[in-house]
Structures are given as structure tokens and as C-alpha cells.
Amino acid sequence: MKHIKLWLLTVALLSGAQVSFSQTPNDSTELIEPGILYVEPLFEYPIAPEELSGFTEKCDWLAENFWNPLDIKNKDAVDQNKLNDAFKVYATTCQYATKDKVTSAIDKLMKSLQKNPILLFQMTKAAEENVYGPRAEFWIDELYAHILSSALANKKFPNGKRAKYELQLKQLENSMIGKTPARFDFVRANGESAQYFPMATPTIIIFGDPECDECRMGKLRMQSNVEFSKAVAAGKINVLFIIPDAESGWQDKIADFPQNWTVGASETVADIYDIREVPEIYVIDSDGKVVNKHIGVVNAMSTALSLINK
């Protein structure tokens, strides 16, 4: 995936990105080799001025000026596949641009779309495809949440599409990196009701399925890591394993889980937290803030240990 991102960024910076990749063929795409499609650009992608020598400067310029050639006033629907690929190039640039520049650029873009609800919705779909959805090569939660917030604030956003995006926004806002995550209710194996809330002890929350291969492997890695296991046993790190929307009999499947972990099931957490993959792992620091998410077990352990070894 990384070589595709670098290719897209290089093309965007140096040649105007005359070609791009798509995963869904349609009338505007042409297969050039297995798995790679040529997509006719929606518009001529801008090239950063040569006088901008710095890499970040070029990315900042593209973040601010990329959509200038797009005909915002045209109220007809554009080719969604072409828009998706344009957003892919744009999102790749935004990864390396200054945060403030990206925020102001998105504000400008979304404001310009206020009177064009068709393109507003299509832009939201393009953002979902490229920085949030299952086919996205990379997730940029803060960028997507900002786009959703702006789009949903527009009264002309299609009512029939609102519920889906409102839920996504709520989930992101409830569990964003740098923010205090929302509380959620769960049930322990013994039937006791409980509630998670951020506390002073660094915490790893694993939303998973005890029968999934990656979850089982992750559990074994955490149990076999001596330093991490000692920290958990000493109460320096908390570990929660929560099963969203668990099926009946889940209690029997967690019999071999460590006794010093908090294990349970929740019928509501999937509507509260951003859980896009299994397992979905969060690390919460002693200030009760999310410091990392969408990570693997090894990264989660390393992050948690770094929090107690400062």
C-alpha cells in the first residue's frame, strides 16, 4: 500500500497526477494491468509552483489549491469514480501537509459546496471511500470527522443519507485520538453489570471476538510478554477485552483469559465507539485520553509500557 501512496503523492506534486488507481471498474476506467486501472482525471490536477522548494510547503499549497479546477457551480452529478480517485490524491497530500492548512482548506471546500447538495454528498462519499471505509488505503479520522461535521451541518444534505453519517460522526467523536473516550456499559461473565470510564491507570481496550485467530494470537502475545504481564499484574496497566454484540454462550469462550483482565460483552458499544476492524484496539493514558487506536497488539503493549515508564 505504501508504494501506491508515495506514487500518488509524487504524481500529484510533480506531474499533476494524470493517472490514478481505482478498485471499481466503470465506463471511465481502463484496465492497464491486473489490479491496476487507468482513470481519466475528473479535472486537471494542479501542480505546486516550482518556487516552493520545501516538501511540506508543496503539500500545504496542494491542500489549499487542489480543488480550484473543480466546477463547484455545476449542479449535475460528477463521475463518482473519478471524484473518488481525485480525493485519494488529495488525501495523500493532506497526510503530509500542515494540520492548520488542511483544516482551513477543508473549511473552504465545504463552504463552497453549501449550495450544491449533490456534489456535497458526492464529496462526502469520496472522503468515506478514501479515509474511512474498508477499501481506504489509510484512515485519517480527524479529517473525515471534520468533513462529516461540515456536511451534516448543511440543511440540504440528503435526509435519507443522514443517519449513517451521523452515526459515523458520533462514533468518531466518542473515541478520537487526543480526546476523552465515552463511557460504555458491559456485562461481565458472571452476569454483573459494569461500566467502563477513563481512569488514572493506562488502559488497553480490545474490542474483539475470542474465537478470531488474530484475537487469540494477540492474547498469547500479551500473556507471553514478561514486562507487560508484570505491569498488568502490578496494576500499572489495565486490559479490557470487550465483545461487541456477543452471541449467547460467549462466557464459555473466555474461560482461558487472564484473571487480571477485565472481560465482558456489550450490546451498545458498537454504536458508541469507532470499531471498524476485529480486533479494534485502543490505548488510553493516565489522563483518560485516547493516545492510539487502529493498532496491533505489539504496538499497543509498547505504547502502554511507554506511558508507565516515562
Side-chain angles (χ1 to χ4, degrees), residues 177-179 181 196 202-206 237-238 280-286 288-297 299-307:
I177 289 179
K179 305 294 184 181
Y196 166 74
T203 301
I204 293 177
I205 307 177
I206 305 170
I237 296 174
N238 291 333
E280 180 72 84
I281 302 178
Y282 284 77
V283 180
I284 319 297
D285 66 14
S286 57
K289 307 290 186 182
V290 178
V291 293
N292 218 336
K293 62 188 284 194
H294 306 318
I295 57 175
V297 165
N299 194 347
M301 288 191 293
S302 176
T303 302
L305 287 170
S306 70
L307 293 174

Coordinates of all heavy atoms in Angstrom, one line a residue, residues 177-179 181 196 202-206 237-238 280-286 288-297 299-307:
I177 N -8.5 10.1 18.8 CA -7.2 10.3 19.5 C -7.1 11.7 20.0 O -7.4 12.7 19.4 CB -6.1 10.0 18.4 CG1 -6.0 8.5 18.1 CG2 -4.7 10.5 19.0 CD1 -5.0 8.1 17.1
G178 N -6.6 11.8 21.3 CA -6.4 13.1 21.9 C -7.6 13.5 22.7 O -7.6 14.5 23.5
K179 N -8.7 12.7 22.6 CA -10.0 13.1 23.3 C -10.3 12.1 24.4 O -9.7 11.0 24.4 CB -11.1 13.1 22.4 CG -10.9 14.1 21.2 CD -10.9 15.5 21.6 CE -10.7 16.5 20.4 NZ -10.6 17.9 20.8
P181 N -12.5 9.3 25.8 CA -13.4 8.4 25.2 C -14.7 8.3 26.0 O -14.7 8.6 27.2 CB -12.7 7.0 25.2 CG -11.8 7.1 26.3 CD -11.3 8.6 26.4
Y196 N -17.4 1.0 31.7 CA -16.1 1.5 31.5 C -16.1 3.0 31.5 O -16.9 3.6 30.9 CB -15.4 1.0 30.2 CG -14.2 1.8 29.9 CD1 -13.0 1.6 30.5 CD2 -14.3 2.9 28.9 CE1 -11.9 2.4 30.3 CE2 -13.1 3.7 28.7 CZ -12.0 3.4 29.4 OH -10.9 4.2 29.2
P202 N -3.2 3.7 32.9 CA -3.2 3.4 31.5 C -3.9 2.2 31.1 O -3.8 1.1 31.8 CB -1.7 3.4 31.2 CG -1.1 4.2 32.2 CD -1.9 4.0 33.4
T203 N -4.7 2.2 30.1 CA -5.6 1.1 29.8 C -5.6 0.7 28.3 O -5.6 1.6 27.4 CB -7.1 1.4 30.1 OG1 -7.1 1.7 31.5 CG2 -8.0 0.3 29.8
I204 N -5.5 -0.6 28.0 CA -5.7 -1.1 26.7 C -7.1 -1.7 26.6 O -7.5 -2.6 27.4 CB -4.7 -2.2 26.4 CG1 -3.2 -1.6 26.3 CG2 -5.0 -2.9 25.0 CD1 -2.2 -2.6 26.1
I205 N -7.9 -1.3 25.6 CA -9.2 -1.8 25.4 C -9.1 -2.6 24.0 O -8.8 -2.0 23.0 CB -10.3 -0.8 25.3 CG1 -10.3 0.1 26.5 CG2 -11.7 -1.4 25.2 CD1 -11.3 1.2 26.5
I206 N -9.5 -3.9 24.1 CA -9.5 -4.7 22.9 C -11.0 -5.0 22.6 O -11.6 -5.7 23.4 CB -8.7 -6.0 23.1 CG1 -7.3 -5.7 23.5 CG2 -8.7 -6.8 21.8 CD1 -6.5 -6.9 23.9
I237 N -1.1 -1.3 34.5 CA -1.8 -1.2 33.2 C -3.1 -2.1 33.3 O -3.0 -3.2 33.8 CB -0.9 -1.8 32.1 CG1 0.3 -0.9 31.9 CG2 -1.7 -1.8 30.8 CD1 1.3 -1.5 30.8
N238 N -4.2 -1.5 32.9 CA -5.4 -2.3 32.8 C -5.6 -2.8 31.4 O -5.3 -2.2 30.4 CB -6.6 -1.4 33.2 CG -6.6 -1.0 34.6 OD1 -6.1 -1.7 35.5 ND2 -7.2 0.1 34.9
E280 N -10.2 -4.4 17.3 CA -10.0 -3.0 17.3 C -9.4 -2.6 18.7 O -10.0 -2.9 19.7 CB -11.3 -2.2 17.1 CG -11.2 -0.7 17.1 CD -10.6 -0.2 15.8 OE1 -11.3 0.0 14.8 OE2 -9.3 0.1 15.9
I281 N -8.2 -2.0 18.7 CA -7.5 -1.8 19.9 C -7.3 -0.3 20.2 O -6.9 0.4 19.3 CB -6.1 -2.5 19.9 CG1 -6.4 -4.0 19.7 CG2 -5.4 -2.3 21.2 CD1 -5.1 -4.8 19.6
Y282 N -7.6 0.1 21.4 CA -7.4 1.5 21.9 C -6.4 1.4 23.0 O -6.4 0.5 23.8 CB -8.7 2.1 22.4 CG -9.7 2.5 21.3 CD1 -10.5 1.6 20.7 CD2 -9.9 3.8 21.0 CE1 -11.4 1.9 19.7 CE2 -10.8 4.2 20.1 CZ -11.5 3.3 19.4 OH -12.4 3.7 18.5
V283 N -5.6 2.5 23.1 CA -4.8 2.7 24.3 C -5.2 4.1 24.9 O -5.2 5.1 24.2 CB -3.3 2.7 24.0 CG1 -2.5 3.0 25.3 CG2 -2.9 1.4 23.3
I284 N -5.5 4.0 26.2 CA -5.9 5.2 27.0 C -4.9 5.6 28.0 O -4.4 4.7 28.7 CB -7.3 5.0 27.7 CG1 -8.3 4.2 26.8 CG2 -7.9 6.3 28.2 CD1 -8.7 4.9 25.6
D285 N -4.5 6.8 28.1 CA -3.4 7.2 29.0 C -4.0 7.5 30.4 O -5.2 7.4 30.7 CB -2.5 8.3 28.5 CG -3.3 9.6 28.4 OD1 -4.4 9.8 28.9 OD2 -2.8 10.6 27.7
S286 N -3.1 7.9 31.3 CA -3.5 8.2 32.7 C -4.3 9.4 32.9 O -4.9 9.6 33.9 CB -2.2 8.2 33.6 OG -1.4 9.2 33.2
G288 N -6.8 9.9 30.9 CA -8.1 9.5 30.3 C -8.3 9.9 28.9 O -9.4 10.0 28.4
K289 N -7.2 10.0 28.1 CA -7.2 10.4 26.7 C -6.8 9.2 25.8 O -5.9 8.4 26.2 CB -6.3 11.6 26.4 CG -6.5 12.8 27.3 CD -7.8 13.5 27.1 CE -7.9 14.8 27.9 NZ -9.2 15.5 27.7
V290 N -7.4 9.2 24.7 CA -7.0 8.2 23.7 C -5.7 8.6 23.1 O -5.6 9.7 22.5 CB -8.1 8.0 22.6 CG1 -7.6 7.0 21.5 CG2 -9.4 7.6 23.1
V291 N -4.7 7.7 23.2 CA -3.3 8.1 22.7 C -3.1 7.3 21.4 O -2.2 7.7 20.6 CB -2.2 7.9 23.7 CG1 -2.3 8.8 24.8 CG2 -2.2 6.4 24.2
N292 N -3.8 6.2 21.2 CA -3.6 5.4 20.0 C -4.8 4.5 19.7 O -5.5 4.1 20.7 CB -2.3 4.6 20.0 CG -1.6 4.5 18.7 OD1 -2.2 4.7 17.7 ND2 -0.3 4.3 18.8
K293 N -5.0 4.2 18.5 CA -6.1 3.3 18.1 C -5.8 2.7 16.7 O -4.9 3.1 16.1 CB -7.5 4.1 18.0 CG -7.5 5.2 17.0 CD -8.8 6.1 17.2 CE -10.0 5.4 16.6 NZ -11.1 6.4 16.4
H294 N -6.6 1.8 16.3 CA -6.4 1.1 15.0 C -5.0 0.5 14.9 O -4.3 0.6 13.9 CB -6.5 2.1 13.8 CG -7.8 2.8 13.7 ND1 -9.1 2.2 14.0 CD2 -8.1 4.1 13.4 CE1 -10.0 3.1 13.9 NE2 -9.5 4.2 13.5
I295 N -4.5 -0.1 16.0 CA -3.2 -0.6 16.1 C -3.2 -2.1 16.4 O -4.2 -2.7 16.8 CB -2.3 0.2 17.1 CG1 -3.0 0.1 18.5 CG2 -2.1 1.6 16.7 CD1 -2.2 0.7 19.6
G296 N -2.0 -2.7 16.3 CA -1.8 -4.1 16.7 C -1.5 -4.3 18.1 O -1.2 -3.3 18.8
V297 N -1.4 -5.5 18.6 CA -1.1 -5.8 20.0 C 0.3 -5.4 20.4 O 0.5 -4.8 21.5 CB -1.3 -7.3 20.2 CG1 -0.7 -7.7 21.5 CG2 -2.8 -7.7 20.3
N299 N 2.2 -3.0 19.1 CA 2.2 -1.5 19.3 C 1.4 -1.1 20.5 O 1.9 -0.2 21.2 CB 1.6 -0.9 18.0 CG 1.8 0.6 17.9 OD1 2.3 1.2 18.8 ND2 1.5 1.1 16.7
A300 N 0.3 -1.7 20.8 CA -0.5 -1.4 22.0 C 0.3 -1.6 23.3 O 0.4 -0.7 24.2 CB -1.8 -2.2 22.0
M301 N 1.0 -2.8 23.4 CA 1.8 -3.0 24.6 C 3.0 -2.0 24.7 O 3.2 -1.5 25.8 CB 2.4 -4.5 24.5 CG 1.3 -5.5 24.7 SD 2.1 -7.2 24.9 CE 2.8 -7.5 23.3
S302 N 3.6 -1.7 23.6 CA 4.7 -0.8 23.6 C 4.3 0.6 24.0 O 4.9 1.2 24.8 CB 5.4 -0.7 22.2 OG 6.4 0.3 22.2
T303 N 3.1 1.0 23.5 CA 2.6 2.3 23.9 C 2.2 2.4 25.4 O 2.5 3.3 26.1 CB 1.3 2.6 23.0 OG1 1.6 2.6 21.7 CG2 0.8 4.0 23.4
A304 N 1.5 1.3 25.9 CA 1.1 1.3 27.3 C 2.3 1.3 28.2 O 2.4 2.0 29.2 CB 0.2 0.1 27.5
L305 N 3.4 0.5 27.8 CA 4.6 0.4 28.7 C 5.3 1.8 28.7 O 5.8 2.2 29.7 CB 5.5 -0.7 28.2 CG 5.0 -2.1 28.5 CD1 5.9 -3.1 27.7 CD2 5.1 -2.4 29.9
S306 N 5.3 2.5 27.5 CA 5.9 3.8 27.5 C 5.2 4.8 28.4 O 5.9 5.7 28.9 CB 6.0 4.3 26.1 OG 4.7 4.7 25.6
L307 N 3.9 4.6 28.6 CA 3.2 5.5 29.4 C 3.6 5.4 30.9 O 3.5 6.3 31.7 CB 1.7 5.3 29.3 CG 1.1 5.6 27.9 CD1 -0.4 5.2 27.8 CD2 1.2 7.1 27.6

